[in-house]
Amino acid sequence: MLVLKFGGTSVGNAQAFAQVADIIQAARQRDPNTVVVTSAMAGVTNQLIAAAQAAAKGDTDTYQRVREELLAKHQMVVGQLITDGAERAAVGQLLEERLQGFERLCRAIAILGELTARGLDVVAGMGERLAAPLLAAVLRARGLAAEAVDAAELIVTDDNFGAADPIMDASRQKTRARLLPMLEQGILPVCTGYVGATADGIPTTLGRGGSDYSAAILGACLDADEVQIWTDVDGILTADPRVVPQARTLPELSYGEAAELAYFGAKVLHPKTILPAIEQGIPLRVLNTFNPTHPGTRVVKDARPTDGTVKAISAIKGLCMVAVEGRGMIGVPGIAARTFAAVARQKVNVLMISQASSEQSICFVIPQSDRAKVIPALEAEFQTELTRRLIDRVTALEDIVIVAVVGFGMRGTPGIAAKVFGALGDARINVIAVAQGSSEANISLVVAQRDSDEAVRRIHAAFQLDRLPDPAVAATAS
């Protein structure tokens, strides 16, 4: 069984829809038990969210304009790829009804003057609920028996709106009950990515970019042989090609390596995608919709060893580093616990932690957008210690970047850190903080944002990652 997920650029316009239909037809010939997961059309989710946010501020024009734009965008695909008049009319009516629902919801948001996390999830998931029936109709126009399925019928989640987590046992039961009979009847399910629902049926979303996660969840529930993530690049690369033009496609990664790259800024996979695959031991493959003959990157439990232990470099931008400092912290138990408890109460994600061996400071990295609530929360938590000068200050250093050097086995290989810091030293790039050892697959370091791109380029060159063989060439040679 195959699960194929297509990202927003893969269904960005009529030509892209046609390309996706070709890929699905070829996959179905190889394996009749194929399940498809689709994202919203490119840019649609951003438009939906922006319209809802504008409505909450009393703007009643934006959501009406967005409704018309989205109807035209989807109708263009209908007009170019669906020739049967009855099918065109049915799909057009469905699109119209769903966009009318979007407009009604935005009108209610404008009247209330409030956009709740629960309401935002309903709006944000509408792009997938437009794309799935549209793609199913395009496939039917190709002669395939395809049917759209709302993942709210399949994926049961908690009520953490905006970034819900799946409840796997319940999701497995619902997914198998809904999809396996369809497959037995020769029907191709086209499922909405990104969305789910609580046990009570309240719509949720899995976090931005969560369609990858949806595919992995469904793959795990169905015991799939492989989950394919179709995007607009030739797999997972050694670095961002916009920063390092010489970046190469990695033929294979372990689950751990792919998870580190996803967590530390590589945009090809949603950070949580790996989790369901690990649980079931299901291989993932990252492929290019617009270059479908390229073998892409395979993600497996145990990747084959390579000549070097470093495989890729990624970076997360838009961060700040918070420091809690004071000589009075030395030997005082509970400072770290109180620090991170205060941050957790603000529901802020800590991406990296570094503590001085002298215990005079604790530094950690958070998204820069969360600075405004974290600093006051820490100052309130340590008000007594600040007054008594046990803690000198709580500060934030803005415009920093985490650069992650990823490759399994680095901790046991001498000289890796020396080569990393030597490359940065030669470029006179200052390293602000370092974290190593918590993961065998990662060395993380903090640099100023102005130095980040050059840091990535220097490390990439130091490990000669531009000399990796192209998997497409290797596949042709074999």
Side-chain angles (χ1 to χ4, degrees):
M1 181 182 293
L2 297 176
V3 176
L4 279 60
K5 175 265 174 180
F6 295 93
T9 53
S10 296
V11 290
N13 52 40
Q15 184 178 0
F17 266 87
Q19 178 70 19
V20 165
D22 289 341
I23 292 168
I24 294 170
Q25 283 184 296
R28 195 97 183 289
Q29 290 175 355
R30 295 192 304 272
D31 190 336
N33 291 322
T34 295
V35 174
V36 172
V37 177
T38 183
S39 297
M41 291 184 72
V44 168
T45 303
N46 287 340
Q47 285 183 277
L48 291 167
I49 291 173
Q53 291 171 337
K57 297 176 182 176
D59 179 353
T60 59
D61 295 328
T62 298
Y63 66 77
Q64 295 179 42
R65 173 178 53 79
V66 167
R67 174 192 174 281
E68 294 301 323
E69 289 175 356
L70 295 185
L71 183 60
K73 185 182 184 82
H74 291 79
Q75 286 283 26
M76 188 170 293
V77 179
V78 174
Q80 293 186 36
L81 299 181
I82 301 173
T83 56
D84 180 79
E87 180 79 279
R88 288 172 69 169
V91 176
Q93 182 177 354
L94 177 63
L95 295 173
E96 179 72 41
E97 288 173 354
R98 295 197 171 175
L99 285 167
Q100 285 176 352
F102 158 72
E103 186 174 15
R104 286 194 298 270
L105 183 55
C106 285
R107 189 179 302 121
I109 291 169
I111 292 170
L112 293 172
E114 179 183 12
L115 177 59
T116 64
R118 175 173 166 174
L120 183 57
D121 267 6
V122 178
V123 173
M126 286 186 173
E128 280 72 16
R129 293 183 170 104
L130 296 170
L134 179 54
L135 179 56
V138 169
L139 293 170
R140 288 194 296 270
R142 297 284 192 98
L144 295 176
E147 181 181 322
V149 180
D150 192 325
E153 302 176 42
L154 312 174
I155 299 177
V156 182
T157 74
D158 60 19
D159 60 357
N160 182 25
F161 299 104
D165 287 315
I167 301 170
M168 290 302 295
D169 288 344
S171 298
R172 181 180 178 87
Q173 183 177 353
K174 284 200 164 192
T175 297
R176 297 179 73 85
R178 180 74 170 90
L179 299 188
L180 291 181
M182 293 178 64
L183 294 170
E184 289 171 2
Q185 297 169 36
I187 299 171
L188 172 66
V190 180
C191 306
T192 54
Y194 181 45
V195 302
T198 67
D200 296 327
I202 300 169
T204 58
T205 63
L206 303 175
R208 293 305 302 271
S211 292
D212 292 351
Y213 196 17
S214 302
I217 292 167
L218 296 182
C221 290
L222 295 167
D223 299 323
D225 298 303
E226 184 173 88
V227 174
Q228 298 180 357
I229 308 296
W230 290 85
T231 180
D232 57 0
V233 293
D234 291 333
I236 301 174
L237 277 65
T238 53
D240 185 339
R242 294 168 298 182
V243 175
V244 184
Q246 302 83 10
R248 307 301 293 269
T249 301
L250 292 158
E252 193 170 75
L253 286 172
S254 69
Y255 289 140
E257 290 166 333
E260 293 285 350
L261 286 170
Y263 182 77
F264 285 100
K267 301 296 186 184
V268 178
L269 284 177
H270 186 280
K272 292 183 179 179
T273 301
I274 311 299
L275 300 177
I278 292 174
E279 291 293 326
Q280 298 297 116
I282 299 170
L284 300 171
R285 193 179 292 274
V286 181
L287 297 154
N288 189 346
T289 301
F290 308 103
N291 187 16
T293 59
H294 194 286
T297 301
R298 195 162 183 260
V299 182
V300 294
K301 180 181 179 182
D302 297 308
R304 288 167 291 185
T306 59
D307 293 337
T309 55
V310 171
K311 290 188 177 178
I313 301 101
S314 62
I316 311 179
K317 299 183 179 181
L319 307 176
C320 74
M321 188 169 71
V322 177
V324 180
E325 305 173 78
R327 286 169 291 180
M329 294 167 55
I330 299 175
V332 178
I335 295 293
R338 290 172 61 193
T339 297
F340 295 113
V343 175
R345 285 194 294 271
Q346 302 304 312
K347 297 184 177 180
V348 172
N349 184 33
V350 175
L351 291 95
M352 177 177 148
I353 302 169
S354 178
Q355 182 169 12
S357 58
S358 66
E359 299 183 1
Q360 291 190 58
S361 69
I362 299 171
C363 300
F364 57 93
V365 179
I366 61 172
Q368 192 156 300
S369 58
D370 291 324
R371 176 196 182 282
K373 57 183 177 181
V374 167
I375 297 299
L378 289 171
E379 290 173 341
E381 175 67 30
F382 293 113
Q383 183 177 5
T384 301
E385 287 80 3
L386 286 164
T387 301
R388 296 171 58 190
R389 305 299 294 172
L390 297 173
I391 292 177
D392 295 330
R393 65 186 67 86
V394 178
T395 60
L397 177 63
E398 299 188 345
D399 297 322
I400 61 150
V401 173
I402 295 177
V403 176
V405 183
V406 174
F408 186 78
M410 291 192 303
R411 188 167 60 184
T413 304
I416 298 296
K419 189 177 286 189
V420 170
F421 294 112
L424 299 181
D426 290 344
R428 303 184 66 81
I429 294 172
N430 182 44
V431 177
I432 300 168
V434 181
Q436 182 184 17
S438 60
S439 167
E440 196 170 340
N442 177 10
I443 299 173
S444 298
L445 49 97
V446 174
V447 300
Q449 186 156 309
R450 64 178 178 276
D451 295 327
S452 64
D453 287 355
E454 185 63 18
V456 171
R457 285 191 286 266
R458 291 286 182 147
I459 298 170
H460 194 274
F463 289 95
Q464 300 182 335
L465 298 182
D466 58 319
R467 298 187 183 182
L468 287 176
D470 189 324
V473 174
T476 302
S478 63

